[in-house]
Amino acid sequence: MNLVQLMNANGKRRVATRVGDEFRQVKRTRSVLELAHAAIEAKTSIANIVEIRGLGKKLDVAAAYAEGRLLPPIDTHDPAHIHLTGTGLTHLGSAAARDAMHRKIGDAQEETLTDSMKMFRMGLENGKPKKGQTGVQPEWFYKGNGSMLTGPGQPLLSPAFADDAGEEPEIAGIYIIGPDGAPFRIGFALANEFSDHVMERVNYLYLAHSKLRPCSIGPELITGDLPADIRGTSRILRKNKTVWEKPFLSGEDNMSHTIANLEHHHFKYAVFRQPGDIHVHMFGTATLSFADGVKAENGDVFEIEAPAFGLPLRNPLKTEKPSKVKVTAL
């Protein structure tokens, strides 16, 4: 089941589900989070809750997208209770781009592995453990809270101090923590895990800085299991012309870790199992325009699409104005 969140022309929230090539309103529902809580309480699936509530009139989601009325497929009234996180070096081939970013010519012999290559090899060897066993933990990073979550069609804001502003086409898992601290997966969505790759390349220890950027997810959230083989396309549009385009692969068939292993190593920390919290966890990529020497410009549009996820995720790049921050002693 594919779900979208949007505002109608009168400014009222709606949730719609895809039925073939069109979208129908889910009756008596204003948010995906509402459906998730109802499913937890009833000990059933979101699909069953939607079936019980029923479908209403057709909604023009394409028009809502064009008019800037689409919302991220998950949100809440208090963005501080949304955690944006992710993992890297999880996809077959992802180490090549990362290694090229960090390797300095002549500073190591060919047989010497960089930290990136070591981490990637660990995933290849034990990222898909046998049933009942725990695999190796992946690289992990923090991106921010829900205040940095951007909806489809909305600008991705790059800070004035940034060295670069680059896309990362990924799949995100979306989760809610139940009343007893148990994590529930709501579904999956396309994600642009927007990052500063120039800053990261300066020194690997700058990875944390480079990830503190907004990200975007959506437009559609798919419930149920993630397809094992996801094939999509990532592109950059400049004045409506494509200046860079490349296919990307995801899903477990194209990964060195299982989704379950990545989920385990995120939710093993009690701080990430606080009742009511929402988690948007991005699973990594192997495709970057930066790795091809492309530099996005202010006003460019990032577009990420994959047939399994329906509508493409589009976001224009916008650079914020410089701001001064003063710390006042109390």
Side-chain angles (χ1 to χ4, degrees), residues 16-30:
T17 185
R18 177 180 283 278
V19 180
D21 293 331
E22 62 183 27
F23 289 88
R24 300 274 300 281
Q25 179 179 330
V26 180
K27 292 181 178 179
R28 307 188 308 278
T29 303
R30 295 188 178 184

Side-chain angles (χ1 to χ4, degrees), residues 39 57 61 70 132 192 212 258 267 288 324:
K57 63 183 179 179
V61 171
L70 283 194
N192 186 342
L212 286 173
T258 62
F267 290 111
L288 305 171
K324 294 183 179 181

Side-chain angles (χ1 to χ4, degrees), residues 258-271:
T258 62
I259 298 299
N261 190 54
L262 300 179
E263 290 174 337
H264 165 75
H265 285 296
H266 179 71
F267 290 111
K268 68 184 181 184
Y269 294 102
V271 68

Side-chain angles (χ1 to χ4, degrees), residues 102-114:
H102 296 288
R103 184 184 292 277
K104 296 181 180 179
I105 298 174
D107 70 353
Q109 298 179 0
E110 289 185 2
E111 66 269 23
T112 302
L113 292 176
T114 62

